Amino acid sequence: MLTLIKNARIHTMDDRRPVAQAALIEDDHFVFVGSLEGAQVELCRRGQQAQEVDAKDRLMLPGFNDSHMHFIHFAKGLMSVNLTGTHSIKEIQERMAEGVRVRPAGPDAFVEGEGWNQDYFTEGERRFPLRADLDQVSSTVPMMIMRACFHIGVLNSAALKALNITRETAPSYGDLVEVDENGEPNGIIKESLLDDTKAQISSLNLETMKKIILSAQQEALSQGITSLQSDDVGYTPKADYHLLFRAFAQLEAQGALHIRVSEQCLLQKEELIQEFFDAGYDDQWGSAWFRPSCIKLLADGSLGARTAAMRQPYADDPSTKGLEMFTQPQLNGLVLCAHRHNMPVAIHAIGDRAVEMALDAIENAQLLCPENHPRHGIVHCQITDQALLRRFRTLDVLAFVQPIFIDYDMNICQSRVGEALTSTSYAWRNLYENGVHVSFGTDCPVEKFDTMPNLYSAVTRQNVSGEGKHTFLPQETMTMEQALKCYTIEGAYASGEEHLKGSITPGKLADFILLDQDLFQIDPEEILHTHVEEAWVSGVCRYKKA
């Protein structure tokens, strides 16, 4: 089966042939990219005819590849109470009350809400909600609400009881459980404890998981996302990656999986990583539709919650430097375990101390096991100085970044870490132009996986929301070509699949999108009003804008 895409403005993301006007697809891959005349010559040579698709002078790009998100969390979140946009604790209480009213049957069923951000509260005191606030909604129905960063959660009394987090057990969790002046848990839990809790209370089963995947994949395709790299293990019941893999495998076998998923497997202990490898999983396992691509590690928290690990105390709260989730020897051991199996790690590191620790652990593994060369990376890598930026290149470490983060972080970065450190942070152009492999993602559902705001943030460095336009570190503004490469071919490189996808190149999978505006020709403000009209995967149109 041959398909001819003609009359397109093709930007291939392949430096050997940057632009074209026609592409010929056989089955699931491109066999010709170039001029319309060249495509017709190829058809004559083959002695075949092709189904013709007139692109009508629209921009054609490789499908977007979101290099870091939480796809199952996003899909599961469609069933949670939406707390995004709440402006007060009272508004959270009102929405959670409705969630309690319609919650599934069963005394142990948690009511979950997510998306609140105390910095957006308009009430006098911009504080975290507490157990007492949720108890006013219900002290008998277990509830958990998560901040928009998903590094902070709040439990009510019923949830604390169900999880056995008490005055007596709280000290065993250290800084991961907050207590009041009397030593009683105030409801706030953090970081790895929150991750464990999400897995413990997950109500997903195989059939539910498949159902939400099918629903969420259409949302992804509507944004032009044909591939994604996702941290999902922690959102399955008891972190059961076998169940997760089975759900994707069954959908693939049914021909129902229409996006390509690379799993960034969250495994925070050496014995768990070793069990994963002993079970036969590595970055060669799976298919072009679904496969594990790396081990995910969490080295710190978030800037908004002041849990990102810093080398110096926070400028607006000198009492803390954030949270280091591992000691350096612990992190070294985790990275080395994966490295010895030639499996990459992707380390969540936002603060400069966490970035430093991640780079140290990667360098240690490279020195101790030089025969292996997995593509290790750092996720977020927000707060950096020039020395840290240079080490990315020296160690050949990938940067998984989220341009949309500056929409919020430009408002808090300087107050959190000071002017000097801010000036060398969120330095994606610096990294890219110094030869570092930089890939774009959204960290959805921390942010929506809307692709155009992400591109806009990269090429303008301006805010998407809020009043008035503000430019954040304009020296880091990227060109549209650079930004699109970070969203396509660099995403494929990050998952070790640049030979299969990421550019419109003969021999690669025919995953591409058609847009209603030419991103290379329009005013930057029009990026936010650009839409994906069609998304094709394996040479089949899987989404068409109504």
Side-chain angles (χ1 to χ4, degrees):
M1 173 66 178
L2 291 172
T3 302
L4 173 63
I5 310 296
K6 65 179 185 180
N7 300 328
R9 299 186 187 186
I10 304 175
H11 282 254
T12 66
M13 302 298 118
D14 184 341
D15 290 338
R16 293 168 297 181
R17 182 186 286 275
V19 295
Q21 65 175 164
L24 193 61
I25 301 165
E26 182 175 28
D27 298 327
D28 63 351
H29 61 281
F30 294 109
V31 293
F32 174 86
V33 178
S35 67
L36 179 57
E37 294 77 9
Q40 291 168 338
V41 168
E42 177 65 15
L43 284 171
C44 289
R45 186 187 70 79
R46 290 168 170 261
Q48 294 176 274
Q49 293 184 330
Q51 169 192 348
E52 295 190 0
V53 176
D54 189 347
K56 299 178 182 177
D57 203 36
R58 288 176 292 180
L59 178 64
M60 176 173 162
L61 297 170
F64 291 130
N65 187 326
D66 191 305
S67 69
H68 178 68
M69 67 181 308
H70 308 270
F71 185 64
I72 296 297
H73 184 182
F74 167 77
K76 181 177 179 291
L78 299 176
M79 304 186 298
S80 300
V81 179
N82 183 4
L83 301 179
T84 302
T86 49
H87 292 95
S88 66
I89 291 174
K90 181 180 179 181
E91 191 174 351
I92 289 176
Q93 292 170 327
E94 291 170 349
R95 295 194 192 183
M96 290 301 292
E98 176 61 16
V100 169
R101 188 183 71 80
V102 301
R103 87 186 199 279
D108 298 326
F110 270 64
V111 178
E112 298 178 60
E114 56 187 59
W116 58 271
N117 185 339
Q118 83 285 353
D119 288 329
Y120 294 150
F121 290 174
T122 55
E123 60 186 23
E125 185 178 6
R126 293 182 174 178
R127 63 174 176 85
F128 290 166
L130 300 172
R131 173 184 69 176
D133 299 309
L134 294 182
D135 282 351
Q136 291 179 31
V137 179
S138 175
S139 60
T140 58
V141 175
M143 285 186 283
M144 180 174 74
I145 60 172
M146 291 182 283
R147 190 180 183 275
C149 63
F150 300 106
H151 291 267
I152 295 285
V154 184
L155 305 170
N156 69 344
S157 293
L160 288 167
K161 181 179 179 180
L163 297 166
N164 194 33
I165 300 175
T166 66
R167 179 191 181 105
E168 290 70 34
T169 63
S172 66
Y173 295 107
D175 292 337
L176 302 181
V177 171
E178 282 196 7
V179 297
D180 61 21
E181 63 276 7
N182 299 313
E184 293 287 345
N186 66 8
I188 295 176
I189 61 174
K190 303 176 182 179
E191 304 304 339
S192 59
L193 177 57
L194 176 60
D195 292 330
D196 292 342
T197 299
K198 286 183 290 189
Q200 185 172 341
I201 69 175
S202 176
S203 60
L204 295 178
N205 56 37
L206 181 63
E207 293 307 314
T208 302
M209 195 177 301
K210 290 194 294 184
K211 181 179 178 180
I212 63 176
I213 288 170
L214 292 179
S215 175
Q217 77 173 355
Q218 286 306 116
E219 295 288 330
L221 289 168
S222 74
Q223 289 295 318
I225 297 171
T226 58
S227 291
L228 55 88
Q229 297 166 59
S230 190
D231 168 5
D232 293 324
V233 171
Y235 298 96
T236 58
K238 298 181 181 179
D240 185 356
Y241 48 79
H242 303 291
L243 176 67
L244 176 71
F245 293 177
R246 192 155 64 248
F248 279 110
Q250 289 185 11
L251 290 174
E252 179 185 350
Q254 295 163 10
L257 191 59
H258 298 154
I259 56 171
R260 307 186 192 279
V261 180
S262 299
E263 274 298 325
Q264 299 172 332
C265 302
L266 182 66
L267 300 169
Q268 298 277 83
K269 297 179 180 178
E270 277 193 60
E271 58 267 30
L272 295 179
I273 296 174
Q274 190 58 54
E275 285 177 11
F276 182 81
F277 293 132
D278 290 343
Y281 300 117
D282 56 29
D283 67 342
Q284 302 302 309
W285 183 90
S287 70
W289 288 103
F290 176 75
R291 55 185 288 274
S293 60
C294 66
I295 299 297
K296 170 77 182 302
L297 302 172
L298 287 165
D300 70 345
S302 74
L303 195 66
R306 295 187 186 84
T307 54
M310 302 297 300
R311 291 187 284 200
Q312 299 298 323
Y314 277 85
D316 57 357
D317 186 357
S319 70
T320 183
K321 293 182 181 180
L323 294 177
E324 297 176 16
M325 302 312 300
F326 306 108
T327 65
Q328 189 67 60
Q330 288 172 334
L331 187 57
N332 288 356
L334 292 166
V335 174
L336 183 59
C337 180
H339 187 95
R340 281 178 169 155
H341 287 85
N342 215 24
M343 184 73 151
V345 295
I347 306 174
H348 167 115
I350 289 178
D352 60 349
R353 173 57 181 155
V355 174
E356 179 181 56
M357 291 179 68
L359 292 169
D360 287 348
I362 292 169
E363 183 173 22
N364 175 74
Q366 291 174 343
L367 289 171
L368 293 178
C369 190
E371 65 273 17
N372 289 343
H373 302 280
R375 295 174 179 174
H376 298 310
I378 296 180
V379 182
H380 309 312
C381 42
Q382 291 167 221
I383 308 302
T384 53
D385 61 16
Q386 291 294 349
L388 291 173
L389 293 171
R390 287 192 293 271
R391 289 187 71 192
F392 274 84
R393 172 64 186 274
T394 302
L395 299 175
D396 196 19
V397 172
L398 281 60
F400 298 80
V401 304
Q402 299 74 38
I404 189 61
F405 275 15
I406 66 169
D407 183 55
Y408 167 67
D409 286 8
M410 69 169 63
N411 301 306
I412 65 167
C413 187
Q414 188 166 320
S415 64
R416 292 285 197 274
V417 306
E419 183 176 357
L421 194 51
T422 296
S423 69
T424 56
S425 297
Y426 303 82
W428 309 314
R429 180 170 183 165
N430 180 308
L431 289 167
Y432 184 91
E433 293 189 345
N434 281 286
V436 175
H437 288 282
V438 177
S439 58
F440 283 177
T442 56
D443 205 19
C444 177
V446 174
E447 298 284 348
K448 296 179 181 179
F449 57 32
D450 296 356
T451 47
M452 294 305 148
N454 219 26
L455 282 173
Y456 177 87
S457 298
V459 303
T460 69
R461 300 288 296 198
Q462 293 185 336
N463 53 302
V464 175
S465 60
E467 296 182 3
K469 284 295 179 183
H470 308 282
T471 304
F472 183 60
L473 304 175
Q475 71 273 18
E476 295 297 338
T477 299
M478 301 182 82
T479 68
M480 181 57 73
E481 182 78 13
Q482 290 172 334
L484 287 172
K485 283 186 175 179
C486 291
Y487 229 155
T488 54
I489 188 63
E490 289 293 348
Y493 185 91
S495 63
E497 298 172 293
E498 74 279 8
H499 61 293
L500 289 176
K501 58 188 180 182
S503 65
I504 298 174
T505 302
K508 290 192 179 182
L509 292 165
D511 300 350
F512 64 93
I513 57 177
L514 295 171
L515 306 181
D516 65 353
Q517 297 195 89
D518 188 337
L519 294 171
F520 293 92
Q521 302 295 326
I522 59 176
D523 182 274
E525 291 302 314
E526 283 300 306
I527 297 171
L528 296 172
H529 305 291
T530 300
H531 299 94
V532 174
E533 292 199 326
E534 295 181 24
W536 292 61
V537 184
S538 284
V540 178
C541 184
R542 294 299 185 183
Y543 167 80
K544 182 171 287 190
K545 187 175 183 294

